[in-house]
Amino acid sequence: MNNRNTLGRTGLEAFKIGFGAGVIGNSMMYPKVDDTLSRQLIRTALSQGIDFIDTAFLYGLGHSEELIGEAIRKHGERERLILSTKASTNPQFTESGLQVDNSPAALRQAVDDSLTRLQTDYIDIFFMHFPYSSTPLAESAHTLAELKKSGKIRAVGASNLTFQQLQEFNADGHLDVLQAEYSLLVRQPEADVIPYCLEHGISLIPFFPLASGLLAGGYKKGEVFTDTSRLNNPLFQKDAYNANLDRVEQLKALAQIKGVSPAQISLAWLLTRPGVDLIMPGATKPEQIESNLQTLTVHLTPEDIAHLEIIFNQGSPSGRN
């Protein structure tokens, strides 16, 4: 079995399982993950053969990039790794939501700053993290395309775009890689985003591939959430949450039959989807990285995939379908 893929038209080839480094250096959101554990997670990913690491400035306001840069300098073999990071310059949390600066000057400075923190002279994929800026999206895309021509970045990326924003950003065909929320419980990209990406040769990398942990099977009915990430998440609202847990119970039954975990089934399903070249699940424990890699041993038959479609396209609301 070939466990490597080329990302769209980028020419970049990577292992199908990457490492989403959202917890690395991000003690504000993950207080239990200190620098010692962060370094251990990065070392585990690299030692297990993972060659794609995705981070962002917003993960610890640059500290995630610093820890990854430090680890890669010690590890060596930069040329065989694919590093991606995301710009969210001057983030402001206003009453209307997050606002960032995606102006040409800000994006150029963001790339230079990330190069310094990552201790490298090029970034494989550089993403505009959020579209919430006064700068027109096509202008931001053009700036990243210029940085690609300069050699500072090798591919242009964008994240968190609606379908309309995706079209605006890619008006001149600059987009190479898109990050979008996509999982068994979040299927909207199938309606318009994925067909558009396939038509334009854009590689899709899902984020929240386990639906903020729901698809891992560890939640129970009646739980009370106090963190804003779940309080504001439609998947965790009462009726949708209970319906989602019912679906996950059926997912667990299938996983038990196949002798694997619900998370591995969910990740393996994503790798069967058109336009998805790789996935980058995160981890808060080294053993979770090893478990994620076991996804590549999971074989989903056409009957399994059809069964998953029945489970996750039932009439009750999931919150995002």
Side-chain angles (χ1 to χ4, degrees):
M1 179 185 294
N2 180 18
N3 288 330
R4 301 182 67 78
N5 264 339
T6 299
L7 305 183
R9 62 190 179 194
T10 66
L12 301 171
E13 184 184 283
F15 204 55
K16 289 180 182 178
I17 305 285
F19 177 52
V23 307
I24 301 298
N26 194 1
S27 59
M28 182 181 297
M29 292 186 65
Y30 300 93
K32 294 182 180 180
V33 182
D34 60 13
D35 283 4
T36 298
L37 178 54
S38 289
R39 292 185 177 100
Q40 186 180 7
L41 291 169
I42 302 167
R43 285 197 303 269
T44 299
L46 293 171
S47 67
Q48 292 292 319
I50 288 174
D51 58 4
F52 183 106
I53 298 178
D54 175 77
T55 185
F57 165 74
L58 206 58
Y59 305 160
L61 300 181
H63 192 44
S64 180
E65 292 178 324
E66 291 171 342
L67 291 172
I68 290 167
E70 169 195 293
I72 289 173
R73 178 176 53 79
K74 292 179 179 178
H75 177 79
E77 298 184 299
R78 165 67 182 96
E79 67 283 353
R80 80 164 188 86
L81 301 176
I82 294 179
L83 295 182
S84 74
T85 190
K86 301 180 282 291
S88 43
T89 305
N90 192 28
Q92 302 290 325
F93 296 91
T94 68
E95 290 184 1
S96 59
L98 176 66
Q99 297 294 312
V100 295
D101 185 355
N102 290 329
S103 66
L107 288 174
R108 293 189 191 103
Q109 187 63 52
V111 167
D112 287 343
D113 292 344
S114 289
L115 287 169
T116 298
R117 289 188 290 263
L118 289 166
Q119 302 187 44
T120 184
D121 55 5
Y122 67 94
I123 294 167
D124 295 280
I125 312 172
F126 194 85
F127 291 85
M128 184 191 75
H129 200 168
F130 297 99
Y132 316 125
S133 170
S134 59
T135 303
L137 291 171
E139 184 177 349
S140 298
H142 181 70
T143 301
L144 292 181
E146 289 180 335
L147 288 161
K148 179 180 173 180
K149 288 181 181 178
S150 76
K152 289 186 175 182
I153 69 175
R154 298 175 67 185
V156 173
S159 181
N160 292 290
L161 301 180
T162 65
F163 180 54
Q164 180 179 343
Q165 290 168 339
L166 168 60
Q167 293 173 296
E168 292 173 5
F169 187 91
N170 196 47
D172 298 312
H174 293 314
L175 183 61
D176 297 311
V177 185
L178 176 72
Q179 287 192 20
E181 184 175 4
Y182 185 37
S183 69
L184 277 166
L185 284 170
V186 179
R187 306 291 290 274
Q188 300 98 317
E190 295 172 351
D192 42 31
V193 169
I194 290 177
Y196 182 91
C197 288
L198 290 170
E199 179 183 353
H200 292 86
I202 298 167
S203 182
L204 176 69
I205 299 179
F207 64 78
F208 295 154
L210 296 177
S212 299
L214 270 172
L215 292 168
Y219 290 101
K220 299 178 181 178
K221 290 185 178 181
E223 289 193 55
V224 177
F225 302 103
T226 57
D227 58 302
T228 56
S229 64
R230 288 171 176 78
L231 285 174
N232 299 326
N233 189 330
L235 296 173
F236 288 83
Q237 305 311 305
K238 185 176 180 181
D239 291 341
Y241 176 67
N242 288 332
N244 289 334
L245 290 184
D246 290 339
R247 289 184 169 98
V248 171
E249 286 303 310
Q250 296 178 72
L251 173 65
K252 288 180 180 179
L254 176 61
Q256 185 172 12
I257 291 171
K258 298 188 74 68
V260 297
S261 71
Q264 289 165 344
I265 292 276
S266 302
L267 296 176
W269 175 83
L270 277 171
L271 287 173
T272 71
R273 310 311 293 169
V276 176
D277 295 317
L278 63 81
I279 54 177
M280 48 176 200
T284 57
K285 301 175 182 178
E287 54 266 33
Q288 290 173 340
I289 295 174
E290 297 167 5
S291 177
N292 290 339
L293 287 169
Q294 289 301 309
T295 294
L296 295 175
T297 68
V298 177
H299 174 65
L300 295 180
T301 67
E303 292 76 18
D304 293 331
I305 294 172
H307 184 50
L308 289 169
E309 289 301 310
I310 292 172
I311 295 172
F312 289 95
N313 279 298
Q314 297 173 7
S316 55
S318 73
R320 294 277 181 94
N321 284 359

